[in-house]
Amino acid sequence: MNIFNRNLRTKSMLALVVACLVALAPMIFIGWQVLERGKAHFGRAYAENFTLLKAQKIKEPVSRELALAQRFADSVLLLRWLKDPDSAGTRSSFFQEADGYQEAFQGGNYFVVNRETLAYYFNGPDKAYSQEPRYSLDPDKAEDSWFFSTIEEFDTHTINVNPDVHLGNVQVWINVMIWNKGRKIGMAGTGLELSDFLQEFIAVEEPGVTPMILDSKGLIQAHPDERLIAYGSGAEADKQKTSGQDQAFSLQKQLSGSDQAQRLERAMQRARKNPGKVQTFWAGLNGKKQLLALTWIPELNWNVVTAVDLQAVQVLEGARVSMAVAALVVMLVLLLLLFSYGVDRIVLRPLNKLHQSATALARGEYDVSLPSAGPDELGDLTRAFSGMVKEIKSHTRELEDKVRERTCELEEKSTQLEQAKEKAEEASQAKTEVLDKVMESIHYAQTIQQAILTGEEQLRALVPESFCLWRPKDVISGDMVWSRRHRDGFALAVLDCTGHGVPGGVMTMAAVSALDRVASATGIDDPARVQQEVSRVVQKMLSNQDASRFSEDGLDMGLCVYCHSTRSLVFAGSRLSLFYGHNGQLAEIKGDRQSLGYRSSDPDFPFQTHTVDVQEKMVFYLATDGLFDQIGQETGLPLGKKRLRSFLSSLGEKPMQDQKTALLEIFEKHQGDEEQRDDVTVLGFHPAP
């Protein structure tokens, strides 16, 4: 069957199909091969580099904490006190020295255990300072078994992830043995908050990447999923076999099959022989085939492991992608050349011959030979050409008439467009007027908000030694400062309401109204009760809020009540902390992790009340999270609570207005040209004697 006897469309389609089959098949095969090999190659390099970087990031700070804990355990004053625990002089000297170590430890805490008396001493930022034991260890209690296992099985130190039921926290504990004349007489060390440790060293935003830490037995010491961590396993010496309970928290248990668990153990053995090198192998994890990269940190007795899902992580870029694109371009060029040749051979050459004949006919040369009329569309075109000449003159006259008619229509349309333009300009002017009225309303709302806000003039009238740094993100703020004179002192509060701008401003008015109502009805002697009542009032105010909305409204608050007669300050906080400084030291009282007024807020939540005996020259600060969370232009990181605490400590006994000026300068320097993320409020005051 001769395809050249088919019509023009069939010929073109056949040519295109042939060109696609010739070009696309090898192009797809080659591209797939390049991409798969590139993905495997770069995925392995990515996993190795990521693991080494993560190991270095973990090693440096933890090694520092370990070295500092060893110096702490080797303290001469500590040794003297443990040998004579009833001596008040040695006790006082040791705790004075321990204060310096507490400041140096990253977690801000330390502990000491006397093996003879089994007394457990602990001081940290979340506990009131004490030189007395927090509790006594009992060898018959399971929660205290970590100490007896560690003291018997380790000679130098161990790192143990374990919850302390007595202190009510979960830490990454660094335990260091204390020796005296060849005998272990106690234990000392520090702890890193587990959630902070995981956030800093384990959390990663890259999809498809799961970092973790294993001990020498493969038990999980740190993982993004805290449910997989083998708590307390660091208190047992390295053994050939682990208990059935421990195995449930091992990485071997998470892998698919015993052969993959054996691969992991061989990789750990190779890593221990070659510290600083990365061992990689493929394994099934969480129902997916993943690339596991492992390296050993001998100083910490830890394995750092990274599981990479190459189907989720983006690893291909650069040269490999360029090669794939180049191959695609070459295939496309070949396809175009082949298609062009087919069109030229089948379509363009016959049409060109017909064009030459038509040009001769246009010059009046009617005695020309037209292309042979074949069975396809070109043949039909040739046969129709001669009849078309006769109709040209008739069509020309009709076309001129239509042109005149269309010209009139266009002139009419042009007039209509001019009228529409005028109406659009009028609408734009009206829109501008509406926007001006809206801005007037917003500024009026700002005036109302500032009228109910406790300004610096009112604040100084109540507390002469005070300042207020208030920087709304928009015209209207979602932060507020509230004050009220107390029968024997005064009350101050900082409120951080949902959102900012107009929604936040409306919420602040509702919150202040609720606070005024509660203060008038129940008084302000008990800040914790005030917090509960405000939460209930705001919930009632917002009870008709649409439950299907994406977000709900509420607020956070820090409330202080000062009494002149007792020289004491009582504080209760809802997610806002109270900072107070004295003699160059700054302490923090954290607010409860419960917000006010939200639908999900517990109306009966027992807020904690904290009492501070006010000393001479003691300064107090309340601040919203807009200050801590502000991103810096140069660093790209938040200002952070730790940096703010260090800065406030450096202010010392400066006057309040000088402190405000210094605080504003460091905030603006950190912010630079970066956009302000949230409303910022800082309240500082020094109660009068």
Side-chain angles (χ1 to χ4, degrees), residues 58-109:
I58 295 171
K59 174 184 174 181
E60 293 298 330
V62 178
S63 296
R64 174 191 173 278
E65 289 294 289
L66 175 59
L68 191 60
Q70 289 173 331
R71 288 179 54 192
F72 179 60
D74 292 336
S75 167
V76 175
L77 294 177
L78 174 58
L79 185 61
R80 290 176 181 173
W81 177 53
L82 291 181
K83 291 163 59 178
D84 186 10
D86 297 328
S87 172
T90 56
R91 172 196 293 264
S92 177
S93 298
F94 163 71
F95 276 100
Q96 288 181 5
E97 181 186 54
D99 289 342
Y101 280 98
Q102 182 178 359
E103 290 291 331
F105 284 129
Q106 182 176 341
N109 62 69

Side-chain angles (χ1 to χ4, degrees), residues 100-146:
Y101 280 98
Q102 182 178 359
E103 290 291 331
F105 284 129
Q106 182 176 341
N109 62 69
Y110 66 88
F111 74 89
V112 175
V113 182
N114 188 321
R115 186 178 185 182
E116 181 178 353
T117 65
L118 297 181
Y120 184 97
Y121 300 84
F122 176 88
N123 277 311
D126 58 342
K127 301 293 181 184
Y129 179 81
S130 175
Q131 294 187 6
E132 299 298 324
R134 300 290 179 177
Y135 58 91
S136 295
L137 296 166
D138 188 346
D140 296 327
K141 291 184 179 180
E143 59 266 27
D144 297 337
S145 62
W146 63 270

Side-chain angles (χ1 to χ4, degrees), residues 294-310:
L294 179 146
T295 190
W296 171 253
I297 305 179
E299 295 85 351
L300 307 179
N301 204 28
W302 274 353
N303 292 287
V304 177
V305 182
T306 305
V308 179
D309 182 4
L310 294 183

